[in-house]
Amino acid sequence: MDRLDEALTVAGPLLERVDEVLSRFGAPGGHDIWRELRRVRLLPGDAARSVAALHPAAIRDAAPELRADARAYADLADALPLAGGWTGEAADAYEKARRSAAEHLNGGPGSLGHRMSATADLADSLASWMLRTRAGLAAVLADVMVSAEAVLLTTGEHPSSEEAAAAAAIGTRVLRTAADSYDEAEDLLARSADLQTPTFV
């Protein structure tokens, strides 16, 4: 359990109230929350729970195994025996096949070893992103829980227009935090687009 889990336990009722007010009354026209709603396509409470569903440990723990596989491919490529005393067409054909196999195992960017290492790097980057995203949302939730808007929403004694404005203010901060973080993740994945293409066979 980290700071986000703790914050969500406390902020859960407030986020439910925010979602309820936004669903019932909407938000003021032209408010920043409309842009964030278009970016995330989730209500603030759902967005917070989607961030809480990120589990960096599972991805981080996969990286050492991927790097071990990359080393195994490199070792296997190095272990492929040379033709030795062979000569002639058979030796030439074998050497060509050996070099091709070694290149496939641990050669250029398309090789299995390179792709395993790159996937491990991506796993580390995604795990770090998840940790930053969770910490960022936890900090935002800690702030909004002690805000004037939170007090207004929890008393339930104000006109619907004031509640809508308060819910929109809180919702904007939560949604913007989630949206900015997911934009960062898209950038990470875009930089690793080559891993989505099949390796040569």
Side-chain angles (χ1 to χ4, degrees):
M1 197 170 189
D2 63 2
R3 287 181 58 208
L4 178 57
D5 293 323
E6 295 170 355
L8 268 179
T9 299
V10 179
L14 174 62
L15 291 174
E16 288 177 10
R17 181 65 178 149
V18 168
D19 288 356
E20 175 191 354
V21 170
L22 291 174
S23 298
R24 185 176 177 187
F25 302 117
H31 197 283
D32 288 346
I33 195 172
W34 293 112
R35 176 178 182 269
E36 303 308 328
L37 283 167
R38 286 191 293 273
R39 292 175 71 195
V40 181
R41 299 184 183 276
L42 292 171
L43 288 170
D46 292 330
R49 286 186 288 274
S50 75
V51 172
L54 298 173
H55 299 294
I59 292 181
R60 185 181 57 227
D61 292 347
E65 184 175 343
L66 290 166
R67 289 198 168 86
D69 288 342
R71 288 191 296 273
Y73 285 126
D75 292 343
L76 182 57
D78 292 342
L80 293 174
L82 298 172
W86 294 6
T87 58
E89 292 183 8
D92 293 341
Y94 171 81
E95 180 59 19
K96 182 179 179 181
R98 186 193 69 78
R99 289 180 180 176
S100 176
E103 179 75 13
H104 179 65
L105 290 168
N106 192 49
S111 69
L112 293 173
H114 176 86
R115 290 167 72 94
M116 284 290 181
S117 293
T119 302
D121 292 342
L122 176 59
D124 282 339
S125 296
L126 286 173
S128 296
W129 166 78
M130 289 181 184
L131 289 169
R132 289 193 306 275
T133 299
R134 290 178 66 91
L137 182 57
V140 167
L141 290 178
D143 284 345
V144 300
M145 282 188 292
V146 296
S147 66
E149 291 84 2
V151 173
L152 188 150
L153 284 172
T154 53
T155 59
E157 299 172 352
H158 301 272
S160 59
S161 59
E162 292 185 19
E163 290 190 339
I170 291 174
T172 298
R173 294 193 62 191
V174 172
L175 292 175
R176 183 175 292 143
T177 300
D180 289 349
S181 293
Y182 279 105
D183 285 348
E184 183 185 348
E186 286 185 6
D187 291 342
L188 280 174
L189 294 175
R191 292 198 295 270
S192 302
D194 59 323
L195 294 175
Q196 301 173 30
T197 58
T199 188
F200 61 85
V201 294

